[in-house]
Amino acid sequence: MTTDAAGIEAVFRAEYGRAVSVLIRLLGDIDLAEEAVQDAFTTAVAKWPETGTPPSPAGWIITTARNRAVDRLRRESSREARHAEAVRLHAPDEPAEEGPVRDDRLRLIFTCCHPALAPQAQVALTLRLLGGLTTPQIARAFLVPEATMAQRIVRAKAKIRDAGIPYRIPRDADLPDRVDGVLAVVYLVFNEGYGGRADLCTEAVRLGRLLVELMPDEPEALGLLALMLLIEARRPARTSGDGDLVLLADQDRSRWDRGLIAEGQDLVRRCLRRNRPGPYQIQAAVNAVHSDAPTAAATDWDQIRRLYDQLMALAPSPVVALNRAVAVAETEGPGTALALVEDLDLAGYPAFHAVRADLLRRLGRTGEAVEAYDAAVALTESAPERAHLERVRAALAKS
Amino acid sequence: MKYYLLSVMQPQGEPPAPEIMQEIMHNLEVFHTELREAGAWVFAGGLNGPETATVLRARDGDVLVTDGPYTESKEYLGGICLIKAPDLDAALTWGRKATLATTLPIEVRPFMHEADDR
């Protein structure tokens, strides 16, 4: 079997994070690990089309990266320390990993989410090292200039190295301090994947499961996993046969993944029983209500509205207010909802313009609705979402 | 092992009342003893106030001597504690004890090179 560029790219997306985290454990140096893994993929691009894909692409990448790192260390320095390093790299592998605590990616995420790093740097570094996203991609996701993001990542890596931030999962006593940052980052990885890269969603769900195993008493970890599973369950129905985006209200609910829904709903019940509600648990509950409804018309919007009230009390933000307004539109009409939306400071957020456009459309204010759709289209990065918005806008402009 | 500097960030103004000061000094002593017993101790000491500082500046091969702190600010370096620790988390554990003992903010910074333990 031969491999084309697309095949190698698929391997890159699936295995980059694992390869980098293993190499960081071996080398103790983030930059060296990244270079070695990138070298290995460059070699794969040259070799695999001729030799075919190796039986274990991930294993091949890690072995090749390790050999590259050894070569590089030998070449770049004659110091004894470097030789010692090379010897260490040739040592036989550690015994098979068991349990979540041995997972290299989890270790890496706790390193990236160390409280001594700025929150934005935590997310950027996780997406870079674990998701294999390029700096321009991360910059786009966070609406900051590329140079700013590049500097943020370089500084964070330098701090990990110079300050001696350890590459390990913290002890039980430290976990509560770290968990908020880690959960936020896993959810951001999931969201980044929601826009198109299914592999990032899979990775986020996998990390979510590890976190639940690691912190069985943390209801927010359960809540986050439930939230991701319930959203992921709708993936098969989110796009039509020709790749167009299908909104929640129009989705063919028979295509939802019943297994994931059952698992997600069970988790929601489990975490809510602890009676320590947090933002992830409430958002998971909102999604559980959606997945309970046999049809869009049967959705219990009153309950969703109440859940958003609770979320606004617990963790208010303009984005939460926007989501609450969507529920208000269903319970009290688009006019009331529009009044709530107009004052929100979200001009750079595509969903704000999309929600506003929909409310204006429902109120018959067509001209303003078209303008709002234009604003949403201009800001949306995801191609299917943009195509959807353009379609609705075109239909509206004609009417 | 790395060297870390724990800097005590002191606010301008009157020092705390004697009885509070006494408790702080006691807590500091306990902290220093713990550092020594753990083998993490290198050096620690409080500094006289910024009004006692003298600044030297190179000027065309000559040295200019002026009064006073290099920068004016609401907080100044009140004292330092130099420790050895295997990584940042270990240094932060000492930093936690230092801020609880002094009741003041502590800045933790790594030195550029590893500690030589000989």
Side-chain angles (χ1 to χ4, degrees), chain A residues 184-234:
Chain A
V185 166
V186 169
Y187 191 40
L188 279 160
V189 171
F190 182 83
N191 278 327
E192 187 55 32
Y194 188 75
R197 283 191 48 186
D199 60 309
L200 283 182
C201 290
T202 311
E203 177 64 11
V205 169
R206 198 191 70 85
L207 288 167
R209 288 187 194 282
L210 288 180
L211 290 174
V212 165
E213 240 181 280
L214 186 67
M215 296 175 275
D217 296 328
E218 176 52 61
E220 279 291 87
L222 283 172
L224 174 62
L225 178 60
L227 174 61
M228 294 192 297
L229 290 173
L230 290 168
I231 296 175
E232 191 63 3
R234 301 201 289 264

Side-chain angles (χ1 to χ4, degrees), chain A residues 357-369:
Chain A
D358 185 56
L359 295 173
L360 288 165
R361 179 187 61 79
R362 285 155 75 176
L363 290 165
R365 289 159 66 176
T366 308
E368 291 166 89

Side-chain angles (χ1 to χ4, degrees), chain A residues 114 162-166 168 178, chain B residues 2 4 87-89 92 96 110:
Chain A
H114 196 283
D162 297 338
I165 289 177
R168 66 158 178 256
R178 309 279 170 92
Chain B
K2 281 184 87 72
Y4 290 88
D87 56 37
L88 180 67
D89 284 2
L92 292 180
R96 265 189 197 96

Side-chain angles (χ1 to χ4, degrees), chain A residues 324-377:
Chain A
R324 180 175 170 275
V326 172
V328 169
E330 300 301 325
T331 50
E332 291 168 49
T336 315
L338 185 63
L340 295 173
V341 165
E342 291 293 10
D343 290 337
L344 297 177
D345 182 18
L346 287 170
Y349 185 58
F352 164 74
H353 298 283
V355 167
R356 211 176 144 259
D358 185 56
L359 295 173
L360 288 165
R361 179 187 61 79
R362 285 155 75 176
L363 290 165
R365 289 159 66 176
T366 308
E368 291 166 89
V370 169
E371 277 174 34
Y373 276 118
D374 285 338
V377 167

Side-chain angles (χ1 to χ4, degrees), chain A residues 304-328:
Chain A
I304 291 178
R305 154 81 197 270
R306 279 197 302 275
L307 286 166
Y308 275 119
D309 288 345
Q310 203 185 349
L311 191 53
M312 273 305 274
L314 205 67
S317 80
V319 172
V320 172
L322 182 69
N323 288 326
R324 180 175 170 275
V326 172
V328 169

